[in-house]
Amino acid sequence: QVQLVESGGGSVQAGGSLRLSCAASGYTYSRTCMGWFRQAPGKERERVATIYTAGGRIYYADSVKGRFTISQDNAKNTVYLQMNSLKPEDTAMYYCAARGGSWCRGEYNYWGQGTQVTVSS
């Protein structure tokens, strides 16, 4: 059974930092895509960052480039999202997701329960 468990959300002031973690289990972590997505109330889900676990190919949304960093620890089957210089518009529920294969821009099959990030001005 695939499980993705996020942690690390919370409330910060603008300009602050948070690091999200996503621990994966129940499937072969290597050679898969891991991604962070977010959804704010009344808005569509946004792809924030993705990484290919076997090659490190990384994608960032324009809205977070230069501020967010996705990384992974293969030994722990864990992917991270370091978020710096946070802005109020980063406020959203953040979800970890996984999909098989190396095409990380496709649809994701597995999702975590989400962790809330709230940035106050």
Side-chain angles (χ1 to χ4, degrees):
Q1 180 181 356
V2 176
Q3 280 195 314
L4 302 173
V5 180
E6 302 105 330
S7 60
S11 297
V12 294
Q13 290 191 326
S17 298
L18 286 172
R19 188 175 84 152
L20 306 182
S21 300
C22 173
S25 62
Y27 71 102
T28 302
Y29 178 83
S30 62
R31 296 186 179 85
T32 61
C33 294
M34 298 292 294
W36 287 99
F37 296 74
R38 66 186 181 186
Q39 188 165 23
K43 294 189 176 181
E44 291 189 355
R45 187 172 63 199
E46 177 185 18
R47 188 187 306 253
V48 175
T50 63
I51 186 168
Y52 178 54
T53 61
R57 288 198 309 271
I58 290 173
Y59 159 86
Y60 293 106
D62 288 342
S63 57
V64 305
K65 279 181 182 176
R67 301 188 298 121
F68 290 11
T69 303
I70 190 170
S71 62
Q72 60 172 342
D73 184 336
N74 283 350
K76 296 181 179 180
N77 287 3
T78 298
V79 65
Y80 304 96
L81 186 68
Q82 178 66 44
M83 305 185 295
N84 298 328
S85 302
L86 282 161
K87 305 175 181 179
E89 51 264 43
D90 294 318
T91 295
M93 185 70 79
Y94 283 70
Y95 297 92
C96 174
R99 63 169 275 130
S102 60
W103 178 241
C104 296
R105 301 297 298 271
E107 292 299 316
Y108 281 65
N109 312 93
Y110 305 105
W111 294 84
Q113 81 286 354
T115 186
Q116 179 68 38
V117 171
T118 302
V119 185
S120 57
S121 57

